[in-house]
Amino acid sequence: MSEIPHIPVLYREVVDAFAGIEEGVIVDCTMGYGGHSSMLLEANEKITLIGIDQDQTAIDFSSKRLAPFGDRAKIKKGRFSDVIKTIIAEEGSENIRGILADIGVSSLQLDQKERGFSYESETLDMRMDSGAALSAAEVVNGYSQKELERILRDYGEIRNAAQIASAIIKHRPFYSAKELSDVVKPYGPRGKKIHPATLVMQAIRIEVNDELGELSRLLDAIEEADLPHARIGIISFHSLEDRMVKQRFSKWSKSCICPPEAMRCTCGNNHAKGRIVTRKPLTAQADELKENARSRSAKLRIFETGA
C-alpha cells in the first residue's frame, strides 16, 4: 500500500507471534499508523483489536486505515501504561489474548521535520504527544549540566557525557534540532553506521517522553492484571529497554520466588505466570533489513501467560 507512510518492523515475526488466537482481544499499545494492527486483524479474523496511541495525527490516520474492519477495530487515545489498565478492566482479564508494544518513535514522526525528531529539523520538540508539557527545548535549554550528564549517560550510554553536556551549556540556547545536532556531532562516535548525534538525540527523546518509565509501568500493569492466557510481545530498539523486558519476563517465568540463600523452598513453588517463548530476541531477516534500515535495532521478545 504505497499511501502508507510507515513500514512496521518485524511484521512477519509479529504476525507469527499472535497466530492462532481465535477469539478475544489483542491490544496494540503503540498503534502508530496501524501497520501491525491491520496485519493482526487480517491474520486473526475473529479477534477484536484495540489500538492505543497518544499522537492525534497517528489516530486520525489509523482511524481511516482500520475502518474496513468495522467494530473489530477500536482506538483509544492516551499513554499506554494508563489506557491498558482501563482496557483490561472493561474487557476482563480473561478476554485479553494478546498485548503488543513497539517501543520507539515511529518512522513518520522521525520524518516529519516539524516534530523536531530529525537532525535537520528547524524545531526542537520531540514530543510524541504534542500536548505534553515537557519538550526537548525545555530539556536542552533548561536542565543543569549535571541533569544533562545524567540523561546522556543513563539513556544514551554515552561515555563522554560530561564533555557533551558542557558543550550544550556553552552553546545554548538552542532553537532547533539541527543546531543541537551540529554542536554535538564532533563528540559522537566515528566510523559507525549511525549519525554521530544519534545517541544524544535518543537520550533527550527518552527523557522528554519518559519512555523507560512508560515501559516499566506497562509491565507493572500486565503483571498486576494476572492475565490467565495471553501472549505478550514487546519490540524494543534500545539496550536499556530490551534489558528491562528480558528481566521482567525472567521474573514472570520463575516458579520459586524464595531468596537465593534459602535452604529449601517455602514459597509454594507455584508463582510462575507463564513461560518465555523467545529465549533470544527475534530480529529482522535479511530482506527486511535491506528494505527498512530502521529495523536493524529492533528486538522482539515474547511471553505467554498461563502456559
Side-chain angles (χ1 to χ4, degrees), residues 164-194:
I164 296 174
S166 177
I168 291 173
I169 296 290
K170 181 179 178 180
H171 289 87
R172 66 188 190 184
F174 292 90
Y175 299 99
S176 72
K178 187 177 187 305
E179 289 176 331
L180 176 63
S181 175
D182 288 343
V183 166
V184 304
K185 193 186 302 181
Y187 304 96
R190 296 292 177 182
K192 293 187 177 182
K193 293 181 179 179
I194 64 172

Side-chain angles (χ1 to χ4, degrees), residues 128-141:
M128 293 181 183
D129 177 0
S130 57
L134 185 65
S135 73
E138 275 76 43
V139 172
V140 173
N141 295 320

Side-chain angles (χ1 to χ4, degrees), residues 195-266:
H195 189 283
T198 294
L199 298 179
V200 172
M201 303 291 275
Q202 170 186 277
I204 295 168
R205 192 201 77 218
I206 289 174
E207 173 72 10
V208 168
N209 297 288
D210 189 22
E211 294 175 34
L212 294 178
E214 269 292 280
L215 175 57
S216 180
R217 290 187 290 273
L218 172 65
L219 294 169
D220 286 345
I222 294 171
E223 184 173 327
E224 291 165 8
D226 200 21
L227 305 173
H229 41 70
R231 290 178 206 161
I232 317 299
I234 310 288
I235 299 174
S236 63
F237 292 82
H238 188 285
S239 60
L240 295 175
E241 297 164 345
D242 181 58
R243 192 177 309 138
M244 187 182 295
V245 175
K246 179 182 179 181
Q247 290 173 348
R248 192 65 69 98
F249 282 8
S250 177
K251 174 187 174 184
W252 293 350
S253 69
K254 289 181 179 177
S255 183
C256 176
I257 58 172
C258 292
E261 63 272 13
M263 297 295 291
R264 60 186 181 84
C265 176
T266 59

Side-chain angles (χ1 to χ4, degrees), residues 265-280:
C265 176
T266 59
C267 70
N269 199 26
N270 60 351
H271 294 276
K273 294 184 177 295
R275 69 182 183 93
I276 297 172
V277 177
T278 50
R279 288 294 169 183
K280 292 184 178 180

